[in-house]
């Protein structure tokens, strides 16, 4: 049975969009002083610690972590360690707004992945049209941007898209955690992914050789960890429990405006016409994926 969005779920989704939109802005500031892999570790480990303090042993968290640690490890890699690292590396060369728009292709990949890996989120005509529209928007966004800005490497544009694909697999994989309290799922994946990120940070970044970050960088790291990650993923898994993987991934439609506004106000970033057109097409694709307008038009026909 296909899952639908209620008014409450849309409200939670909008709140999550604001929170995750802010993470692109915070990351753009922090990554100037902290290397991407170390930033990933700090984000995940601080969030994990905060969630463990919040849970305080409730919800049977520790027996669940012991019995399902392999599943939490897979989820942590797909939903945290890998995509966060890819986005942070990309943001060393591209702005918060552009990174968030590229990452907004997540629902497209989620729809395609869920069609093959689940029985309750199959492709429909609306989803196919939405996917094609969103993919066209991605092509419009990336192609002209590369041609017009010779200083933007292709790899920096592709990394947020690859991260979006990873999020698509994570959203589908996360369905197996239904019935577990959202804070426990969030804490489990954060704990596992921080353990993955630690050795990578030590080997690649040698964090003991880095200068102490400025007060602004420390503040943005705490904001990413506590607000965008710890609180964000509690909301994420609560929405997924009632709305499904595809509907939850629609949050990325709301992320770009939330990321672009502070980037425009505080970082002096701006979007080219082609980037705005690409975002519009992606947004149209996601609206079609929601299915409501399409269903109403068919009912009126």
């Amino acid at each position: 049975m296909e899952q639908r969005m209620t008014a409450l779920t849309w409200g939670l989704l909008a709140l999550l969009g604001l929170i995750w939109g802010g993470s692109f802005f915070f990351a753009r500031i922090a990554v100037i002083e902290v290397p991407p892999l170390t930033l990933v570790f700090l984000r995940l480990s601080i969030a994990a610690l905060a969630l463990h303090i919040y849970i305080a042993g409730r919800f049977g968290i520790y027996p669940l972590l012991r019995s399902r640690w392999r599943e939490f490890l897979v989820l942590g890699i797909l939903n945290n360690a890998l995509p966060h690292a890819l986005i942070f590396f990309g943001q060393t060369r591209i702005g918060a707004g552009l990174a968030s728009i590229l990452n907004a292709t997540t629902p497209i990949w989620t729809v395609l992945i869920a069609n093959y890996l689940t029985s309750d989120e199959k492709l429909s005509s609306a989803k196919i049209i939405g996917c094609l529209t969103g993919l066209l928007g991605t092509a419009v966004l990336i192609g002209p941007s590369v041609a017009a800005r010779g200083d933007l490497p292709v790899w920096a544009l592709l990394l947020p898209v690859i991260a979006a694909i990873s999020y698509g697999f994570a959203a589908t994989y996360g369905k197996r955690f239904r019935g577990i309290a959202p804070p426990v799922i969030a804490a489990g994946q954060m704990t596992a992914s921080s353990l993955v990120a630690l050795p990578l940070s030590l080997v690649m970044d040698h964090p003991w050789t880095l200068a102490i970050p400025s007060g602004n960088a420390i503040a943005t790291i705490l904001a990413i960890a506590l607000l965008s990650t710890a609180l964000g993923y509690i909301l994420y898994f609560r929405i997924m429990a009632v709305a499904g993987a595809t509907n939850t991934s629609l949050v990325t439609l709301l992320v770009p405006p939330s990321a672009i506004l502070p980037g425009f106000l505080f970082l002096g970033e701006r979007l080219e016409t082609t980037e705005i057109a690409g975002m519009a097409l992606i947004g149209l694709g996601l609206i079609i994926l929601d299915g409501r307008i399409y269903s109403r038009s068919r009912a009126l026909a």
Side-chain angles (χ1 to χ4, degrees):
M1 180 176 172
E2 190 168 349
Q3 294 155 308
R4 287 285 184 178
M5 301 280 283
T6 64
L8 175 60
T9 309
W10 272 113
L12 293 175
L13 203 71
L15 176 59
L16 183 57
L18 289 173
I19 291 173
W20 278 358
S23 72
F24 286 88
F25 170 70
F26 296 139
R28 183 58 177 157
I29 297 174
V31 80
I32 296 173
E33 300 185 37
V34 182
L37 291 176
T38 298
L39 183 58
V40 169
F41 170 69
L42 291 173
R43 174 181 187 171
L44 298 176
S45 59
I46 294 172
L49 177 61
L51 286 166
H52 280 286
I53 293 173
Y54 168 74
I55 294 170
R58 293 176 294 155
F59 309 117
I61 180 173
Y62 297 118
L64 280 170
L65 290 180
R66 286 193 295 268
S67 64
R68 304 185 66 172
W69 68 268
R70 293 178 182 84
E71 293 170 275
F72 281 118
L73 179 61
V74 173
L75 182 63
I77 292 173
L78 291 175
N79 214 24
N80 301 134
L82 178 59
H84 292 347
L86 292 172
I87 291 171
F88 288 165
F89 271 114
Q91 284 197 262
T92 61
R93 297 297 299 274
I94 63 176
L98 182 54
S100 68
I101 293 172
L102 293 168
N103 193 238
T105 59
T106 296
I108 298 164
W109 307 112
T110 304
V111 165
L112 296 174
I113 293 166
N115 178 66
Y116 288 101
L117 299 183
T118 70
S119 59
D120 60 342
E121 295 192 50
K122 294 299 184 181
L123 278 173
S124 63
S125 56
K127 289 180 178 180
I128 293 172
I129 295 171
C131 284
L132 293 176
T133 305
L135 288 173
L136 176 60
T138 306
V140 169
L141 181 62
I142 295 178
S145 295
V146 174
R149 298 188 194 176
D151 61 326
L152 288 184
V154 175
W155 62 264
L157 296 168
L158 290 177
L159 290 185
V161 177
I162 299 173
I165 296 173
S166 183
Y167 281 134
F169 278 104
T172 303
Y173 188 81
K175 290 162 67 72
R176 68 182 57 206
F177 293 92
R178 284 176 178 167
I180 300 178
V184 172
I185 307 174
Q189 69 165 16
M190 295 300 165
T191 302
S193 55
S194 61
L195 294 176
V196 171
L198 176 58
L200 295 176
S201 169
L202 294 175
V203 171
M204 300 299 294
D205 293 340
H206 305 126
W208 59 88
T209 66
L210 302 174
I212 297 176
S214 67
N216 285 339
I218 292 173
T220 56
I221 290 170
L222 291 175
I224 294 173
L226 300 178
L227 183 62
S228 301
T229 307
L231 176 58
Y233 275 105
I234 291 175
L235 293 173
Y236 173 84
F237 287 112
R238 180 177 175 182
I239 297 168
M240 183 178 292
V242 297
T246 301
N247 285 328
T248 304
S249 66
L250 290 173
V251 67
T252 49
L253 171 62
L254 306 172
V255 168
S258 302
I260 291 168
L261 183 58
F264 174 78
L265 293 176
F266 302 110
L267 299 180
E269 296 178 356
R270 68 186 186 90
L271 293 175
E272 302 293 338
T273 302
T274 52
E275 293 166 352
I276 296 174
M279 181 174 66
L281 283 169
I282 292 173
L284 177 60
L286 298 181
I287 291 171
I288 295 171
L289 284 173
D290 179 45
R292 301 188 189 203
I293 295 176
Y294 184 77
S295 297
R296 289 171 185 169
S297 65
R298 290 190 63 184
L300 294 173

